[in-house]
Amino acid sequence: MAETEAALRTLAHNVRAARTRAGLSLDELGRRAQVSKGALVGLEKAQGNPNFATLVRLADTLGVSVSALMEGKAEGRVRVVSADALVPLWTGAQGSEARLMLTTSGPAPVEVWRWKLAPGEEYPSHPHQAGVVETVSVTSGRMTLIVDGIEHSVEAGQTAAFDGDAPHGYRGAGTGICHLIMTVHLPPGPASTT
């Protein structure tokens, strides 16, 4: 329980700091990210339990990575992360999950995710800000990648890349669990102010 409270306090601090850096009011951030002002006030007070989609919309709007909102300060030059040490940010009813492993630093960060997709289970993602590029590398099993309503089969040993500013989703295919590594390449600088 203490770990959850500490993580929520870190998230609250990071959202408030990123919003301040971006020069956005709570109203404006809420409008751009499609998150209610009440939810943002609660979040910045370390109250509530934001879902994965809300975190992605806030990160996109603020021009930062999801992990930049969730992580404390880096402790050294090298970071080794175990998949089992991280809580899934999304879990599906059939056992699917997505874990954000880490985000690289620098002007154009890259998020590294581990996903498990059960056969037939789907995660629909909203479009990201312009300039975001995603890759999915299937390590075992098979998935269906949906971009702009078009389905693409991606099998073990294959990697697909696409512009993340289009509607997209990921669905487990075949008869077994699909394991994949996803990278989300973020553009440098803050999000557009339009």
Side-chain angles (χ1 to χ4, degrees):
M1 189 63 121
E3 285 181 10
T4 301
E5 290 172 5
L8 196 52
R9 283 192 306 273
T10 297
L11 176 63
H13 173 269
N14 292 344
V15 168
R16 188 172 38 256
R19 179 178 62 79
T20 301
R21 277 193 309 276
L24 298 175
S25 67
L26 285 167
D27 287 324
E28 186 61 16
L29 175 58
R31 184 187 69 75
R32 291 183 188 184
Q34 300 175 354
V35 176
S36 74
K37 181 179 178 181
L40 287 174
V41 168
L43 179 59
E44 288 193 5
K45 289 183 177 180
Q47 300 168 346
N49 185 17
N51 65 32
F52 177 52
T54 297
L55 292 176
V56 170
R57 285 194 308 271
L58 286 171
D60 279 350
T61 302
L62 293 166
V64 299
S65 66
V66 172
S67 63
L69 295 179
M70 300 179 60
E71 294 178 350
K73 294 185 180 191
E75 297 180 14
R77 292 180 71 135
V78 176
R79 215 172 19 156
V80 178
V81 180
S82 169
D84 297 335
L86 302 169
V87 175
L89 290 178
W90 171 73
T91 54
Q94 298 172 33
S96 298
E97 65 179 31
R99 295 175 189 255
L100 177 59
M101 300 302 294
L102 59 86
T103 301
T104 61
S105 59
V110 176
E111 296 177 349
V112 180
W113 294 79
R114 281 188 186 266
W115 283 71
K116 272 190 342 187
L117 291 170
E121 191 154 36
E122 184 172 332
Y123 179 81
S125 181
H126 76 284
H128 300 294
Q129 63 177 311
V132 170
V133 174
E134 290 192 25
T135 66
V136 289
S137 297
V138 176
T139 58
S140 67
R142 193 170 82 221
M143 70 171 289
T144 301
L145 172 66
I146 306 117
V147 180
D148 262 343
I150 300 171
E151 296 187 359
H152 307 270
S153 181
V154 186
E155 299 184 13
Q158 294 182 323
T159 299
F162 63 96
D163 293 333
D165 60 352
H168 56 282
Y170 326 99
R171 183 174 61 237
T175 58
I177 297 288
C178 175
H179 293 267
L180 63 108
I181 303 295
M182 175 192 295
T183 59
V184 180
H185 303 258
L186 304 167
S192 168
T193 59
T194 58

